[in-house]
Amino acid sequence: DANADGKVFKEKVERKILPAIKEFEPEILLISAGFDAHAKDPLASLKLEETDFEWITNELMEIAAECAEGRLISTLEGGYDIDALASSVQAHVGALIV
C-alpha cells in the first residue's frame, strides 16, 4: 500500500510473503537489498525505517536457516537519500553478521 508504514509492511509480509517463501522451500535466498522504501527517500512510496529493514533481514535469515542450510546472498540495490541509505545498510548488514 502506498505510504504504508512499518506496521502495515510487517503485517502484509507476515501474512503473505513469508509463508509463500517457506512453502516454496528455497535452497538459497537472494536478497535484493534496496532501501528506497525508506521514509526519508525522495522516491519512496512506503514509510519504512531502519528497524523494518533489520526485521525483514532477520526473518529471511530464519527462513534461510530452516530451508536452505543458512545459504543467503544479499546485494545492495540502492536508495536515494544518502543518510537513510547508510543507516539502512548498517541495520541490514548488522543483522546479517550477528
Side-chain angles (χ1 to χ4, degrees), residues 1 11 35 37 87:
D1 295 340
E11 289 171 0
F35 302 101
S87 58

Side-chain angles (χ1 to χ4, degrees), residues 24-97:
F24 182 72
E25 298 180 346
E27 294 179 11
I28 189 169
L29 265 75
L30 305 174
I31 298 174
S32 174
F35 302 101
D36 51 350
H38 193 283
K40 293 181 181 176
D41 196 284
L43 302 180
S45 62
L46 295 174
K47 303 298 179 198
L48 303 185
E49 301 290 338
E50 292 81 1
T51 55
D52 301 314
F53 296 117
E54 180 180 18
W55 172 80
I56 190 65
T57 302
N58 285 321
E59 294 295 315
L60 293 172
M61 288 175 55
E62 285 183 25
I63 292 173
E66 290 174 26
C67 300
E69 298 178 8
R71 292 184 293 259
L72 182 144
I73 297 172
S74 177
T75 60
L76 178 62
E77 293 294 330
Y80 301 94
D81 179 282
I82 296 300
D83 294 332
L85 176 61
S87 58
S88 297
V89 169
Q90 182 177 11
H92 175 66
V93 173
L96 289 172
I97 62 174

